Amino acid sequence: MARQGVKKLSVREKKVLLALQDLARKADVVEVERRAGLDHSAVMRAALNLKEMGLIRISERSWQEVSPTDEGRLYASKGLPERRLLTVLSKTAPVSVDEVREHQGLQKELANLALGWSRRKGWIEFAREKGETIITLTKSGEEALKRKAPEEQLLEKLARADSLSVDELSPDLRGAVAVLKGRKLLVVREKVRRSLELTPDGEKVLEAGVELEEGVSQLSHELLVSGKWREVKFRPYDVTVPGVRIYPGKVHPQQQVIDELREILLEMGFKEIKGSLVESEFWNFDALFQPQDHPAREIHDSLSLSKPARARVPQDLLDRVTRAHERGVAGSSGWRYKFNPEISRRTIMCSQTTAATVRYLAKRPKPPVKVFCIERVYRHEKIDYKHLAEFYQCEGIVMDRGLTLRDMLGYLKQIVVKLGLPKIRFRPGMFPFTEPSVEADVYHEEMREWIEILGAGLFRPEVLRPLGIRHPVLAWGIGLTRLIAIRLGLKDIRDIFCNDLNWISRFVYPPLSTKQG
Amino acid sequence: MPVITVSYPDLCELLGKRVERKHLCERLAMLGIEAEAAGDELKLEVAHNRPDLLSPEGVARALRGFLGLELGMPRYKIGASGVTVEVDRRVKPIRPFIAAGVVTNVKLTDEIVASLMQVQEKLHASLCRNRRKGSIGIYDLDTIKPPMRYTTTLPDGLRFVPLDFDRELTPAQILREHPKGVEYAPIVRDWPRYPLLVDSRDTVLSLPPIINSEDTRVTSRTKRLFIDVTGQDERVVNQALTILMTGLAERGFKLQSVMIKYPDRRVQTPDLRPTRHRLSVRAANELIGLALKPSEMAKIARRMRYDVASAKGGVLTLLAPPYRSDLIHEVDLIEDIAIGYGYDKLEPTLPKVVTVGERASIERVSERARRVLTGLGFMEVMTYTLTNPRENFELMRVSGEAAEISNPVSEEYTILRTWLLPGLLGVLRANRRHELPQRVFEVGDVVVLDEKAETGARNVRHVAGAIIGEEANFTYIKAVTEAVLRELGAKWEVVAMEHPSFIPGRVAGFICDGERVGFTGEIHPEVIAGFGLEHPVAAFELILPEELYGGAKGNR
């Protein structure tokens, strides 16, 4: 057992063993440190390992150590205030308290201290005489003049030795410790002393011979250029020792999901477009055929702006959209109400990225078109564990001749497979600007539940015709908040915007499951 | 979207068949109704555009077709009740339209009464837009004496006992004291006279759109119902009445019409005639991606409760039941065909649409900035664009203008950020207990007011970084800023400048292509203290270019 261990001994451990051999088998850790030329923690680490291997024993002894404070040291050389008063009194007694306070030999602040302690020790007495308080020396005061009290002896001893073990003091002096401690002239510390002792196994290892190779710890420029590296041995490290943790600069976890999604859509051949955070109600709602009294347009659903308060809207487009709403276009009967162009010009915080895709369609791009947009959108919500006032949305459209609802499902399926959530089911959905509409749920294997994650559909003719688009347009949107929470394993969606640096630095982005559905 | 609660046993009874709960929920989902079962209660989420599905009767009616229990359009017999409603010309400027009907052979239970209240409430909220466009009153016909009069009253006029009260109040008192009065007062407040519905003895039926009278209350003992809908929008008024009455007919009750006598015309309500629609078989097949024969499509249409009047030349003429007010275009019919076919049976297809993927150039620039800063050991943070003047301006010792929210949810989020540094200092404040140094950055949009922009404001992408700790000094942060600029391909000029957020003489400005693009320096102690921080901070902020510097030229 012991012999097997020897091969594995580190240089430090060998040094400790050899030091103990030199120190007659047993020694204090401090001595071992000195002998082995190692610092305290190195010796202790080695000692613990050696103890594990049964090569040494570690024993502990604790004791109280006293050392003087700065004040204590001062009094050790100049004498305690009451001693100094005694000396003064022995020469000039009796004197008045005022005289003591004025006396040169005693500093003013010390005088009160000296008077107090002298009286407590019974060295002096006070008497009233002619309006003055006169001090006279007592008998025990006289005696005290002849020899030093235990506190004084201890103080002087401490001043010389700097620190002493309480155990080593005579009973007299031991009694003085508490007094001086109370006067804050010394401090008492709990000390532990460990000593190391070779076991018989340890001795056997030493008898078998421990060869100490003093290796080189760090390759240096000098060693390299001088060629000396050929001659030295590199001390092997214990490579299993846990190291320090460092963290690289990181992209925010939420941004990593966004980047991943962007990558997926680029791979699928989509082109990225950008939206505007401040939108007009025209692009956010009217152009999407959402009637002006639609419940989603009520004041408590979106954030409106007072500055800027009015947006410009292209007049020809506004006319065509007005017609679509009021009387209908492309065979539609429309919503049959009085459209108000002033509402169109109101500004709001963009509430759906569809605004950006429809703005793109208004430029009448030639088919085929595949674009997407990832942007922040806003809601009139109090922020809590399931609502955010501001969050990301991702939206995409595909325009080409002859696209169908089944093609829409095909794109949705492809996107979720790429997102690592390949199990998908489709349900009829309802969006004001698409018909037919579809909702897609994906199955989350770990949570064991279906999660509503995508909404999609074909843009209504009432949306497309005013924009001058005559081909079918597939449109889909991803609830990014939910996707991000799933990807990052978060329960509280506020944590999506978590900026705790410990979290960000320690967060390891989970790999995408590549399993295909 | 509106959510209704229905009882599972009641729904099964209306279906005429016991359908297993899980299967029922699954079928409902495929019909476009999200269902959640909790014991005998089902919570159903219904689309905005289908007010006919806001009652258990309406849901059962659609489901019977979808499950194949009953095909084609439901037909409703309606007789004349002989009841008339005379409309006073004084309602014209305030709430001009009314529709009414009578339901007899009524057998109510407390459960059905509660369900009836729910439909009424849900129709008020959705189709009737919180009673603005229409409001419904339902009364026990045996407590009133026709003919009715739809007239007006002065705010201090006729007193009556409103529902749930035990004493008479004037209309004005109702607006002040009754919970419904308080809630809906804004609709009527500015009118000189309020609308009022009374019977031949001047017994008050209701004060539309606020409240009914207690005396006409419907209970489980009620045998005959009188229903009225008044409102601003005649179409909505008729739709709401049709939906309510055809729903009650599904329980086997008998419907009767009411004659509305306007000063200038007479109308029989409800109008339960079906509507006619054209459906091109080819258009439907093309849009869904199917190849259904006209006969197959006709069968599906009947499952979705349409009648097929004719099928000629690839065109189906469909008759839709009167409660389907949502059909405004052929695509609405096509969606019904897709639903009737079954979304779960539609096989996804992936067409070849050959396009080339392309990243937005600002995102390419942003990614470059992120790469540089993470390489320098900075952590990216993401903060809200919504903020407040104190954080964005005051704590930074600056003033300025920002886009303002007119209906903020809280004091904290009243404006849009105009720069990123305040957010970064906020992040440092939140992390002040963590070890130093800390290096953070953000790449994100700020909103600047711009009269030339279509909306009066535009987003501008910025990058900002900050370091807190002993190493936070000018030399370091300037080196970081210049590293970012260099990697973006910029050629820049450094100029001395003053900025109230920075220590005077320790802030530098950067100029690229003659434009000021940002600054860097040591943050002013007052700013640091304002954010509750106790260590030096150095920071920079730059406007990111739309494209990498030199890139646009290189591509041309």
Side-chain angles (χ1 to χ4, degrees), chain A residues 247-252 254-255 258-259 262-263 266 268-272 274-280 283 289 291 293-295 298-299 302-308 310-312 314 329-336 347 349 359 368-370 372 375-376 378 380-383 388-390 392 398-400 403-407 409-411 413-414 426-430 435-439 452 458 460-462 494 497 499-502 504-505, chain B residues 1 29-32 34 47-49 125-126 129-130 133 233 235 285-290 327-335 338-339 343-344 346-360 362-363 367 370 373-375 377-386 401-410 413 416-417 427-428 431 434-435 438-443 445-447 449 451-459 461:
Chain A
Y247 300 98
K250 280 191 183 176
V251 170
H252 193 276
Q254 169 169 241
Q255 185 65 42
I258 292 169
D259 289 346
R262 172 180 294 117
E263 214 54 51
L266 292 172
M268 289 176 67
F270 281 83
K271 176 180 150 175
E272 185 175 20
K274 298 307 293 176
S276 179
L277 299 185
V278 175
E279 258 304 354
S280 59
W283 288 109
F289 197 54
D293 69 349
H294 192 274
E298 282 181 20
I299 189 80
S302 40
L303 292 174
S304 330
L305 287 113
S306 47
K307 193 160 81 180
R310 281 269 168 290
R312 284 193 297 274
V329 289
S332 166
S333 60
W335 295 120
R336 289 183 281 180
T347 48
M349 292 311 295
R359 270 179 182 274
V369 165
K370 271 156 70 180
F372 74 99
E375 207 71 83
R376 287 194 195 192
Y378 300 79
H380 194 266
E381 294 275 12
K382 258 216 152 60
I383 297 174
L388 293 175
E390 162 174 1
Y392 281 92
V398 183
M399 173 174 81
D400 203 3
L403 290 176
T404 70
L405 177 62
R406 287 177 62 199
D407 294 337
L409 305 188
Y411 273 104
K413 170 95 184 150
Q414 187 64 54
F426 303 108
R427 298 180 278 120
M430 157 65 202
E435 193 85 5
S437 304
V438 53
E439 298 260 14
E452 197 179 314
L458 281 82
R460 294 190 69 100
E462 295 97 327
R494 279 171 295 195
F497 279 90
N499 287 319
D500 182 305
L501 295 180
N502 281 357
I504 299 172
S505 58
Chain B
M1 295 217 259
M30 284 307 140
L31 192 54
E34 238 180 290
H48 277 307
N49 64 338
S126 57
R129 300 285 191 268
N130 281 323
K133 285 191 162 187
D233 185 325
R235 221 158 33 96
N285 275 328
E286 277 183 0
L287 203 64
I288 305 171
L290 294 173
L327 306 169
I328 62 173
H329 191 277
E330 192 180 29
V331 286
D332 298 310
L333 306 171
I334 295 175
E335 183 179 69
I339 293 172
Y343 271 45
D344 47 347
L346 284 173
E347 277 298 320
T349 45
L350 199 58
K352 281 203 171 62
V353 180
V354 183
T355 51
V356 178
E358 190 185 328
R359 196 179 304 263
I362 189 68
E363 297 299 342
E367 264 181 34
R370 279 193 191 97
L373 286 160
T374 51
F378 281 68
M379 293 288 168
E380 186 180 26
V381 298
M382 294 179 99
T383 65
Y384 293 126
T385 56
L386 288 166
E401 274 201 301
E404 283 168 17
I405 304 296
S406 61
N407 59 337
V409 182
S410 78
Y413 304 118
L416 286 149
R417 66 182 178 196
V427 168
L428 294 180
N431 282 281
H434 294 158
E435 73 190 279
Q438 293 164 6
R439 294 175 173 81
V440 293
F441 76 99
E442 177 161 14
V443 176
D445 286 329
V446 306
V447 174
L449 297 171
E451 277 178 16
K452 277 177 271 168
E454 193 190 303
T455 58
R458 59 190 165 83
N459 331 345
R461 186 66 57 94

Side-chain angles (χ1 to χ4, degrees), chain A residues 11-265:
Chain A
V11 174
R12 276 178 192 160
E13 288 153 9
K14 288 176 187 168
K15 279 185 176 173
V16 169
L17 282 182
L18 290 169
L20 279 172
Q21 195 177 32
D22 292 351
L23 294 164
R25 294 193 58 240
K26 184 176 179 182
D28 222 64
V29 171
V30 186
E31 291 175 74
V32 176
E33 283 167 26
R34 224 171 285 145
R35 194 83 190 183
L38 294 171
D39 65 19
H40 180 72
S41 62
V43 169
M44 281 318 295
R45 230 176 295 146
L48 287 172
N49 289 342
L50 290 167
K51 187 190 161 201
E52 281 292 286
M53 292 184 264
L55 303 184
I56 64 163
R57 264 192 296 275
I58 302 176
S59 52
E60 270 184 18
R61 194 174 67 82
S62 62
W63 77 98
Q64 288 186 317
E65 186 189 83
V66 289
S67 48
T69 61
D70 288 346
E71 201 181 355
R73 243 183 269 275
L74 188 76
Y75 293 162
S77 65
K78 290 197 165 179
L80 289 169
E82 63 267 32
R83 167 68 56 194
R84 285 148 77 181
L85 174 64
L86 214 56
T87 317
V88 170
L89 290 175
S90 69
K91 289 168 192 160
T92 60
V95 293
S96 71
V97 168
D98 291 340
E99 280 167 335
V100 167
R101 287 193 177 130
E102 300 299 310
H103 195 278
Q104 298 179 334
L106 288 167
Q107 281 129 315
K108 211 169 188 177
E109 56 273 25
L110 282 181
N112 288 335
L113 211 57
L115 286 167
W117 278 104
S118 301
R119 190 177 182 194
R120 204 185 295 185
K121 288 183 173 174
W123 290 352
I124 55 168
E125 271 174 0
F126 298 113
R128 294 291 293 177
E129 221 171 81
K130 288 179 231 155
E132 278 189 322
T133 309
I134 298 297
I135 306 164
T136 49
L137 221 51
T138 63
K139 207 165 184 190
S140 64
E142 304 271 5
E143 272 166 40
L145 266 175
K146 291 170 198 156
R147 59 180 171 77
K148 290 186 171 167
E151 307 90 287
E152 294 174 295
Q153 292 170 28
L154 176 60
L155 215 49
E156 277 167 24
K157 213 169 167 169
L158 277 177
R160 284 195 300 274
D162 211 49
S163 71
L164 290 168
S165 162
V166 174
D167 298 343
E168 290 164 11
L169 298 175
S170 66
D172 252 16
L173 296 188
R174 223 177 284 170
V177 169
V179 180
L180 291 182
K181 192 183 168 197
R183 292 180 71 171
K184 297 206 172 84
L185 300 182
L186 59 74
V187 287
V188 181
R189 288 192 190 89
E190 286 295 324
K191 284 280 183 177
V192 179
R193 175 169 296 163
R194 294 184 180 85
S195 58
L196 310 181
E197 183 184 2
L198 284 173
T199 62
D201 272 349
E203 293 190 51
K204 273 183 216 154
V205 167
L206 283 163
E207 277 163 30
V210 171
E211 200 182 330
L212 193 63
E213 295 163 0
E214 184 65 64
V216 171
S217 65
Q218 182 71 51
L219 180 58
S220 66
H221 171 70
E222 283 72 27
L223 285 174
L224 278 167
V225 294
S226 63
K228 271 204 183 129
W229 62 269
R230 287 174 224 276
E231 296 151 30
V232 300
K233 273 203 171 171
F234 290 96
R235 182 151 54 77
Y237 293 147
D238 180 357
V239 294
T240 63
V241 170
V244 206
R245 279 171 189 239
I246 55 169
Y247 300 98
K250 280 191 183 176
V251 170
H252 193 276
Q254 169 169 241
Q255 185 65 42
Q256 294 192 52
V257 187
I258 292 169
D259 289 346
E260 181 177 86
L261 182 61
R262 172 180 294 117
E263 214 54 51
I264 287 169
L265 294 169

Side-chain angles (χ1 to χ4, degrees), chain A residues 389-453:
Chain A
E390 162 174 1
F391 53 90
Y392 281 92
Q393 214 171 52
C394 172
E395 185 126 343
I397 54 169
V398 183
M399 173 174 81
D400 203 3
R401 291 171 183 84
L403 290 176
T404 70
L405 177 62
R406 287 177 62 199
D407 294 337
M408 181 74 263
L409 305 188
Y411 273 104
L412 297 181
K413 170 95 184 150
Q414 187 64 54
I415 291 167
V416 297
V417 164
K418 288 228 171 209
L419 282 172
L421 299 161
K423 229 163 130 184
I424 190 168
R425 71 174 180 198
F426 303 108
R427 298 180 278 120
M430 157 65 202
F431 304 103
F433 37 86
T434 56
E435 193 85 5
S437 304
V438 53
E439 298 260 14
D441 307 321
V442 291
Y443 191 71
H444 194 273
E445 298 286 349
E446 277 157 51
M447 289 157 65
R448 291 179 183 208
E449 61 181 10
W450 289 95
I451 297 159
E452 197 179 314
I453 201 171

Side-chain angles (χ1 to χ4, degrees), chain B residues 105-166:
Chain B
N105 294 50
V106 168
K107 273 197 216 89
L108 296 178
T109 60
D110 289 341
E111 201 179 26
I112 298 175
V113 173
S115 156
L116 200 53
M117 309 281 271
Q118 178 179 250
V119 194
Q120 198 181 342
E121 182 201 324
K122 298 294 169 182
L123 284 173
H124 277 155
S126 57
L127 178 68
C128 299
R129 300 285 191 268
N130 281 323
R131 305 196 184 185
R132 279 182 191 279
K133 285 191 162 187
S135 60
I136 302 158
I138 307 178
Y139 322 86
D140 185 335
L141 182 53
D142 294 317
T143 64
I144 41 186
K145 198 169 162 38
M148 282 22 127
R149 276 193 312 123
Y150 179 37
T151 178
T152 61
T153 172
L154 285 166
D156 299 321
L158 208 54
R159 304 165 73 88
F160 70 97
V161 182
L163 267 184
D164 301 325
F165 265 50
D166 54 9

